[in-house]
Amino acid sequence: MGQQVSLHVAYLLKRRLVEHFGENMAFNGKDYWMFPEPDKVANLTKENLLSLKFTNRKAEYLLDAAELISNGRLTKTGLQELPLHEMEKKLTSIRGIGSRSANYVIMRCLRHPDAFPAADAGLHNALKKVLGSYSKPSLPEIIEWSQNWTGWRAYATFYLWMELAAG
């Protein structure tokens, strides 16, 4: 949902999905929303998502991914049993998931310490800031630098993103 859109738009799409199709729980007078289960998402129609302002492609990609999870062809356990490059290969074989998104999932959901979203714009901006450069480093430069962080590139990414959040 967050590919090629601003964070604001990505959060808005997620919020709409959750509030329309997820469950909520009230606690101390405040509503807390939970994402809908994959089965529920897989049973939505493209029109359901278009009404929430998803693009045609985003709706198709979300429905396809939900179907893979719902029918057991894509599982967290199954992915965690694979080496890092195979995790990325399996995820990027899914229509709509590129290397950056795959590595983000591998970092956040699968908790692999060496996942590295080298093409992430935030990562590029953070490196520009940390290096005190006038321009963003090139992808080959970023990949070369990341070799120094091998085994821990996900942690390096999180620290670099925190630099952006720090202002």
Side-chain angles (χ1 to χ4, degrees):
M1 288 183 277
Q3 285 186 325
Q4 299 181 353
V5 295
S6 69
L7 283 176
H8 173 76
V9 172
Y11 290 140
L12 186 61
L13 290 173
K14 287 181 203 176
R15 182 177 179 175
R16 288 176 181 160
L17 176 72
V18 168
E19 289 181 356
H20 281 83
F21 301 108
E23 302 291 326
N24 77 318
M25 179 178 85
F27 180 75
N28 285 339
K30 185 172 179 180
D31 284 334
Y32 294 90
W33 291 90
M34 294 163 276
F35 272 85
E37 293 294 324
D39 292 346
K40 187 169 188 176
V41 176
N43 286 313
L44 296 176
T45 65
K46 188 162 71 166
E47 289 70 30
N48 292 138
L49 298 174
L50 294 176
S51 72
L52 302 179
K53 304 297 183 208
F54 278 66
T55 63
N56 275 315
R57 290 285 185 234
K58 283 190 190 310
E60 291 170 0
Y61 298 158
L62 180 61
L63 294 172
D64 289 350
E67 178 64 27
L68 289 171
I69 295 167
S70 178
N71 67 29
R73 290 188 301 179
L74 180 65
T75 67
K76 185 175 180 177
T77 303
L79 286 167
Q80 288 174 318
E81 293 171 352
L82 300 172
L84 176 60
H85 70 280
E86 289 295 324
M87 286 182 201
E88 183 177 359
K89 184 177 176 183
K90 176 138 182 147
L91 288 170
T92 56
S93 73
I94 300 167
R95 194 169 66 114
I97 298 179
S99 178
R100 183 236 166 255
S101 294
N103 275 279
Y104 186 81
V105 167
I106 295 167
M107 285 171 42
R108 298 295 302 246
C109 178
L110 304 176
R111 307 241 185 244
H112 195 291
D114 203 33
F116 188 61
D120 181 74
L123 178 66
H124 293 214
N125 286 326
L127 281 165
K128 175 185 169 191
K129 178 183 175 189
V130 167
L131 296 169
S133 178
Y134 291 105
S135 61
K136 295 179 199 174
S138 69
L139 189 57
E141 288 174 316
I142 292 170
I143 291 170
E144 183 180 330
W145 287 326
S146 77
Q147 299 308 308
N148 295 316
W149 315 322
T150 298
W152 304 103
R153 292 182 297 178
Y155 289 96
T157 301
F158 286 125
Y159 281 113
L160 287 163
W161 284 341
M162 286 181 0
E163 279 296 316
L164 285 180

